[in-house]
Amino acid sequence: MSQLSVLLPLTGLFFLISATFGSESTPYPVTCVTRGADLEKDGMVVLCPTDCSQWRVSVFGTKIYASVSSVCGAAIHNGVLGQSGGTVRVLRLQGRHNYMSSYAHGIQSQALSRWTASFSLTKPVDVPLELTSEITATILPAAAQPAKKPLKKPSVKKALTGGNKDCPMDIAMVIDSSNNIGQRRFNLQKNFVTKLAAMLRVGSTGPHIGLIQASGSPRTEFLLSNYTQPKELLFAIKELAYLGGDTNTGKAIMHTAETFFSQDNGGRRGHPRVMMVLVDGWPSDDLEQAAMLARESGINVFLVSVAKPAADELAMVRDKDFMKKAVCKDNGFFSYLIPSWFSTTKHVKPLAQKLCSLDNLLCSKTCYNSVNIGFLIDGSSSVGEGNFQLVLDFLAGIARSFEISDVGARIGAVQFTYDQRLEFSLFDHSNKEDSINALKRIPYMSGGTATGAAISYTTQNLFRRTGPGRNFLIVITDGQSYDDVRDPAMAAQKEGITMYSVGVAWAPVDDLRSMSSEPKDSHTFFTREFTGLAEFIPLLVRGVCRDFTENN
């Protein structure tokens, strides 16, 4: 805010004009992710919502921010705004080099080597022009005053809604930045990745792309949500700096698989996950464990090998089968060979087509995100209230191992005595927290034990309209059933339901084995005490994953 006081002569009188300069624009409401580049005018006053620090906002710089930064996130980082939101003025600045990272007011800003435009932030204070004088003067009547022009409402550029609709993937590009590749080939690699990204065509309805550099230690350069417009993405790739160091590709794959695709880091729920790994020559560490984690996490790993080892170099390669072990499936589709960095242009289109081949992404569906699990719970009098709670804790432990969501795994529950009660269906709760809370709130029924009728009821009601994915039924009982269990169990298995039986105390092992799917030994569990149920949690989860993998 600036204030100016001047004496102006007017018909022999002097008036002291005290003016406070500020914007006349009304605050324009924006979202937490609106960027400086989205604002059309310099000096716009925007209104930020509350709790923007709870979002994954992208902020680049300190005090001076790259225009790709979230305006509201930068305002909180700068201390201009608090958690309650409010108004802030955005001032355009020229682009610059070396935006510095820092942590302030709950926001971690990121470093950026260069960007084309910047902005700074101030608190807007608009005070009407005041006329003060020791001598009274006649003010022009209202009718004579010039009419104010209506303020033109500022507009925010709409975010790009395009993108390649046939490629709705979340793609992590892991590039080689080791000593092995060298500065010259690193630049050729950047050119190739830039062309590939342009071919993929990012956008809100298309692919999102993030990038990690593999060297001695992996370094995340930008997340999936940082650049969703093509020009910004391509500029960010061109600005990457060469690191050097070892070719620890395994570390980079592990780093990417562990956190990169989380929703906090911009991963989109229900979108296929793809990891494209570029290796110049060969890696200097092991890839097998990292690739296993990626597969189990539903990530489709493609390995692109450029300038593969020559015959006289094979002795230096730690694992000659590294390509087979790294990829999603060793079927030829996920491995791609490029003979030289000087011949990459002709490989851009075929590789882009592979990355976008939805039907061929065999690792998208995993046991953790694609199963429907039904719990059939014995609520008979012999169980008792205290043990019933142990049973619910046991089942909640199983449920926690799966990615329960509206596009992921599902769980449902039926309690039985002589009667059956659908506690909640596979489609009643679309997230893990709600599902587990629903499990824990199941009230104990008490009564007799008719397990066979309960299996038939569950087959017809719980799995009545299941979507894609494998169906599993885990039956837990503590005693002898008053009816036949064999025929209802066989009917359920013919409907594609894999059955596990868990017996406690007086449950006959023969009945348990009659209910279980083949092979019986790996689908049947028994413990004398309810307190022993917890030991079965990892065994059942592992069994479900094994069955899912073998049947898909």
Side-chain angles (χ1 to χ4, degrees), residues 176-464:
D176 193 335
S177 192
S178 65
N179 289 332
N180 199 47
I181 192 171
Q183 181 71 63
R184 185 188 182 197
R185 294 202 302 272
F186 179 78
N187 291 335
L188 293 171
Q189 177 184 222
K190 284 202 300 183
N191 291 337
F192 170 65
V193 172
T194 302
K195 292 175 184 176
L196 181 62
M199 177 69 69
L200 290 168
R201 297 195 348 257
V202 299
S204 58
T205 58
H208 284 186
I209 294 175
L211 191 139
I212 303 92
Q213 291 211 66
S215 60
S217 295
R219 188 167 91 178
T220 298
E221 296 294 348
F222 51 85
L223 301 171
L224 293 161
S225 57
N226 286 155
Y227 307 112
T228 56
Q229 296 191 27
K231 288 183 179 179
E232 295 171 352
L233 173 65
L234 303 185
F235 185 85
I237 294 172
K238 289 177 181 178
E239 288 298 297
L240 293 172
Y242 173 55
L243 301 180
D246 293 331
T247 316
N248 287 336
T249 310
K251 276 188 179 181
I253 294 174
M254 183 73 77
H255 166 79
T256 308
E258 285 177 334
T259 61
F260 195 79
F261 291 96
S262 69
Q263 290 185 42
D264 287 343
N265 284 340
R268 295 173 291 177
R269 179 179 288 180
H271 288 250
R273 300 169 175 179
V274 171
M275 188 191 309
M276 185 201 72
V277 183
L278 281 160
V279 178
D280 179 89
W282 59 90
S284 55
D285 64 347
D286 181 61
L287 308 187
E288 192 166 9
Q289 292 300 315
M292 187 182 301
L293 173 65
R295 284 191 290 272
E296 290 181 353
S297 302
I299 301 168
N300 297 272
V301 178
F302 288 79
L303 198 141
V304 181
S305 176
V306 185
K308 68 177 184 178
D312 58 341
E313 295 175 321
L314 286 175
M316 297 186 293
V317 180
R318 177 173 177 171
D319 185 351
K320 297 177 180 60
D321 291 328
F322 71 89
M323 289 194 69
K324 294 181 179 180
K325 293 177 180 179
V327 293
C328 163
K329 297 286 183 184
D330 181 25
N331 60 359
F333 180 77
F334 294 91
S335 302
Y336 199 94
L337 296 173
I338 298 177
S340 166
W341 288 113
F342 297 96
S343 62
T344 55
T345 301
K346 64 182 179 182
H347 297 281
V348 170
K349 186 175 181 179
L351 183 55
Q353 290 172 338
K354 274 181 176 279
L355 299 179
C356 295
S357 299
L358 184 60
D359 292 339
N360 292 311
L361 300 184
L362 304 179
C363 290
S364 293
K365 296 296 184 181
T366 71
C367 62
Y368 300 109
N369 65 23
S370 303
V371 293
N372 305 307
I373 301 177
F375 298 126
L376 185 52
I377 309 165
D378 187 346
S380 62
S381 302
S382 57
V383 174
E385 186 75 48
N387 288 333
F388 188 76
Q389 291 303 312
L390 290 175
V391 170
L392 298 183
D393 290 342
F394 161 63
L395 299 179
I398 295 172
R400 285 192 188 94
S401 299
F402 295 91
E403 298 175 18
I404 301 168
S405 74
D406 53 352
V407 294
R410 298 277 191 169
I411 67 167
V414 173
Q415 186 179 178
F416 71 96
T417 56
Y418 283 134
D419 298 317
Q420 306 86 32
R421 186 169 73 196
L422 180 63
E423 301 292 355
F424 59 92
S425 79
L426 295 167
F427 300 92
D428 284 347
H429 305 292
S430 60
N431 63 69
K432 185 181 297 189
E433 182 180 2
D434 290 347
S435 299
I436 291 175
N437 287 339
L439 260 180
K440 290 185 172 182
R441 289 195 302 265
I442 293 176
Y444 176 46
M445 287 174 67
S446 186
T449 309
T451 313
I455 294 172
S456 297
Y457 175 88
T458 305
T459 303
Q460 296 164 11
N461 292 276
L462 189 64
F463 294 102
R464 179 165 47 87

Side-chain angles (χ1 to χ4, degrees), residues 2 62 90 99 126 160 183 243 254 401 444 488 510 521:
S2 62
T62 301
V90 185
Y99 294 89
D126 293 328
L160 185 69
Q183 181 71 63
L243 301 180
M254 183 73 77
S401 299
Y444 176 46
D510 288 345
D521 290 343

Side-chain angles (χ1 to χ4, degrees), residues 47 60 145 229 264 309 346 369 455 525 528 542:
L47 176 62
F60 300 88
Q145 293 181 15
Q229 296 191 27
D264 287 343
K346 64 182 179 182
N369 65 23
I455 294 172
F525 298 84
R528 284 289 178 193
R542 198 175 305 148

